[in-house]
């Protein structure tokens, strides 16, 4: 059953939607939202990465509600969000030395760590795993809410399963109105890509999902670090990702999307040709490109995702652009690749999944990654 079909059968509820100033959160709003969480209800709220769909992470029934509201498979574990380091103690079996140093360097911020879980964390929250993912967001409003709730807040991205993560309040409202008690609309989030996930349970830290905190930064700090080999490849039996969520076709626009990578002039030529061909067939076509090459595309309507001069702008706008293509009922999307710079791996990880692993490398081999 589709996520939307699944959600249609859960009871409709009245959702309170409140404007929320993340920098200077209103104390009344915080205490009302915190009360909902403590009573086992759901509140969607902004973080610095993407919006989260929060519930009490220590209550099995709150986690079950999160899965139902999102239409998410319940073997896909949730991240626990905490407000300060003391909150970590009761949730994990132990804190390895490497993890401690990562926390000092990158918390609060866009880094999630996977630990061995304590008995306090229910299997409903961890999707049946003996490990638990924990993150301390840097977003002031998010931390104020978690602190006021007084419980670790389980929060996946606040989208319907299979939709791009929400980076603006209107995305959350569109996906979750009627399915949660409250939505805190804090406007556009600053980063726009989900946190880096690092498994710290083994001898070497392993990145399970790339993000703003990079492999290079982790290696510089700890002198060690690996990337889960499944990150840019199509999941298979040999390369099954360790983060269960990475195996699903996440971040997927409704359109069939193809990424064209390689020499700039050749990329533009190929995208023009492919887009022009589909337009002639009468299809609805969109092109996703950087500002630097926008003027070169004429075959189909084009969205500028950001500038290559500031790769954070590409990260910030990517999901918004994908959602816009959906709203416009685009049937085929042709996208440039954005592999350069420190954020290239994280951006391409999302883009390649959105494209269902369809990538054309100009001047080299082409076709679908097997
Ligand atoms: O930036 C973020 O991380 C956002 C905001 C809201 O904090 N949250 C987020 O959550 O992206 P979600 O549920 O959409 O993605 C969590 C990912 C999934 O791929 C899940 O499988 C993985 O984290 N994960 C959670 N717990 C895990 C665990 N114990 N071991 C391995 N992977 C885990
Ligand atoms: Mg998600």
């Amino acid at each position: 059953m589709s996520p939307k079909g699944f959600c249609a059968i859960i009871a409709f509820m009245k959702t309170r939607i409140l404007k929320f100033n993340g920098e200077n959160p209103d104390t009344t709003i915080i205490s009302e939202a915190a009360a909902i969480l403590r009573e086992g209800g759901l509140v969607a709220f902004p973080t610095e990465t993407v919006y989260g769909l929060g519930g009490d992470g220590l209550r099995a029934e709150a986690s079950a509600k999160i899965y139902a509201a999102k239409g998410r498979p319940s073997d896909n574990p949730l991240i626990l969000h905490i407000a300060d380091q003391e909150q970590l103690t009761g949730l994990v079996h132990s804190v390895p030395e490497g993890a401690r140093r990562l926390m000092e360097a990158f918390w609060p911020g866009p880094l999630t760590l996977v630990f061995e879980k304590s008995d306090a964390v229910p299997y409903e929250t961890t999707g049946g795993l003996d490990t638990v993912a924990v993150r301390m967001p840097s977003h002031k409003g998010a931390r104020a809410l978690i602190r006021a709730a007084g419980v670790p807040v389980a929060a996946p991205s606040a989208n319907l399963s299979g939709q791009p993560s929400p980076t603006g309040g209107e995305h959350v409202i569109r996906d979750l109105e009627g399915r949660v008690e409250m939505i805190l609309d804090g406007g556009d989030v600053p980063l726009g890509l989900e946190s880096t996930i690092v498994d710290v349970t083994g001898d070497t830290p392993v990145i399970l999902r790339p993000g703003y905190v990079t492999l290079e930064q982790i290696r510089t700090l700890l002198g060690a670090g690996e990337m889960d080999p499944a990150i840019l490849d199509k999941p298979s039996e040999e390369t099954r990702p360790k983060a269960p969520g990475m195996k699903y076709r996440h971040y997927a626009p409704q359109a069939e999307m193809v990424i064209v990578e390689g020499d700039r002039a050749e990329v533009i030529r190929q995208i023009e040709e492919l887009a022009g061909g589909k337009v002639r067939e009468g299809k609805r076509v969109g092109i996703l490109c950087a500002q630097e090459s926008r003027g070169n595309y004429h075959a189909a309507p084009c969205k500028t995702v950001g500038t290559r001069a500031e790769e954070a702008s590409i990260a910030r706008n990517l999901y918004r652009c994908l959602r816009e293509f959906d709203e416009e009922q685009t049937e085929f999307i042709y996208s440039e690749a954005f592999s350069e710079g420190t954020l290239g791996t994280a951006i391409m990880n999302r883009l390649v999944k959105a494209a269902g692993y369809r990538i054309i490398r100009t001047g080299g081999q082409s076709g679908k990654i097997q």
Side-chain angles (χ1 to χ4, degrees):
M1 205 181 324
S2 72
K4 280 186 180 139
F6 182 82
C7 291
I9 58 170
I10 70 167
F12 181 86
M13 65 174 87
K14 175 96 184 92
T15 300
R16 283 185 70 200
I17 300 171
L18 301 173
K19 289 278 175 208
F20 184 61
N21 180 345
E23 274 304 301
N24 187 14
D26 181 301
T27 49
T28 315
I29 294 179
I30 289 286
S31 55
E32 286 176 13
I36 293 173
L37 292 173
R38 274 196 305 275
E39 286 155 19
L42 305 184
V43 177
F45 60 97
T47 80
E48 73 278 20
T49 57
V50 300
Y51 276 75
L53 166 55
D56 180 344
L58 298 185
R59 281 164 75 146
E61 68 278 16
S63 293
K65 277 192 201 169
I66 292 177
Y67 289 115
K70 271 185 70 103
R72 174 174 179 150
S74 58
D75 68 342
N76 189 358
L78 308 175
I79 296 175
L80 289 182
H81 293 66
I82 57 175
D84 45 52
Q85 292 207 12
E86 291 82 84
Q87 245 184 320
L88 181 67
T89 320
L91 307 177
V92 301
H93 194 254
S94 64
V95 180
E97 178 53 24
R100 201 172 293 286
R101 287 167 61 194
L102 287 168
M103 282 153 51
E104 266 165 33
F106 301 112
W107 277 10
L111 174 71
T112 295
L113 297 175
V114 174
F115 299 92
E116 271 162 34
K117 81 172 192 71
S118 75
D119 291 342
V121 182
Y123 282 112
E124 284 77 359
T125 297
T126 67
L129 298 178
D130 288 317
T131 53
V132 61
V134 187
R135 165 163 124 77
M136 189 197 296
S138 62
H139 189 282
K140 273 193 193 159
R143 280 229 307 292
L145 173 62
I146 301 161
R147 192 171 296 118
V151 293
V153 177
S157 49
N159 51 283
L160 286 178
S161 190
Q163 293 295 312
S165 291
T167 57
E170 72 277 20
H171 303 154
V172 185
I173 294 168
R174 195 186 171 109
D175 279 13
L176 296 180
E177 186 174 12
R179 300 186 169 107
V180 298
E181 276 79 1
M182 184 180 275
I183 295 173
L184 299 178
D185 178 356
D188 289 348
V189 297
L191 302 185
L193 284 186
E194 309 86 344
S195 60
T196 305
I197 303 180
V198 180
D199 182 345
V200 292
T201 59
D203 292 336
T204 306
V206 181
I207 295 190
L208 306 185
R209 180 175 71 183
Y212 263 79
V213 176
T214 63
L215 180 61
E216 291 67 34
Q217 285 177 302
I218 292 170
R219 284 187 174 158
T220 304
L221 186 76
L222 302 178
E226 298 298 334
M227 189 75 91
D228 183 350
I231 274 173
L232 283 179
D233 289 338
K234 191 174 180 175
S236 68
E237 269 313 303
E238 304 88 73
T239 62
R240 183 145 26 109
K242 292 215 196 74
M246 303 293 277
K247 73 174 181 264
Y248 296 106
R249 189 178 166 229
H250 256 182
Y251 327 116
Q254 272 143 42
E256 182 174 309
M257 181 164 158
V258 176
I259 303 166
V260 183
E261 183 167 45
D263 169 74
R264 181 169 164 208
E266 188 53 23
V267 166
I268 292 167
R269 196 194 64 71
Q270 282 242 14
I271 290 182
E272 281 284 272
E273 191 179 307
L274 289 165
K278 287 294 176 199
V279 168
R280 281 190 294 281
E281 286 172 25
K283 304 293 184 199
R284 261 180 215 268
V285 183
I287 295 171
L288 189 64
C289 69
Q291 197 180 312
E292 286 77 358
S293 44
R294 178 169 191 132
N296 297 99
Y297 292 107
H298 311 286
C302 187
K303 284 189 201 302
T304 307
V305 63
T307 162
R308 291 187 191 274
E310 192 216 344
E311 46 174 3
S313 65
I314 295 170
R316 195 159 56 234
N317 295 320
L318 180 63
Y319 289 144
R320 173 176 299 279
C321 288
L322 295 180
R323 280 186 179 253
E324 283 174 10
F325 279 128
D326 275 350
E327 276 159 33
E328 293 156 12
Q329 292 167 351
T330 308
E331 293 167 285
F332 291 88
I333 303 170
Y334 297 98
S335 176
E336 295 181 347
F338 304 97
S339 331
E340 312 88 353
T342 54
L343 288 178
T345 309
I347 293 169
M348 286 306 284
N349 170 255
R350 277 56 166 193
L351 202 60
V352 162
K353 276 167 184 274
Y357 302 89
R358 279 179 292 268
I359 180 159
I360 295 174
R361 298 211 167 83
T362 63
Q365 85 275 32
S366 65
K368 210 163 162 175
I369 294 179
Q370 291 307 313

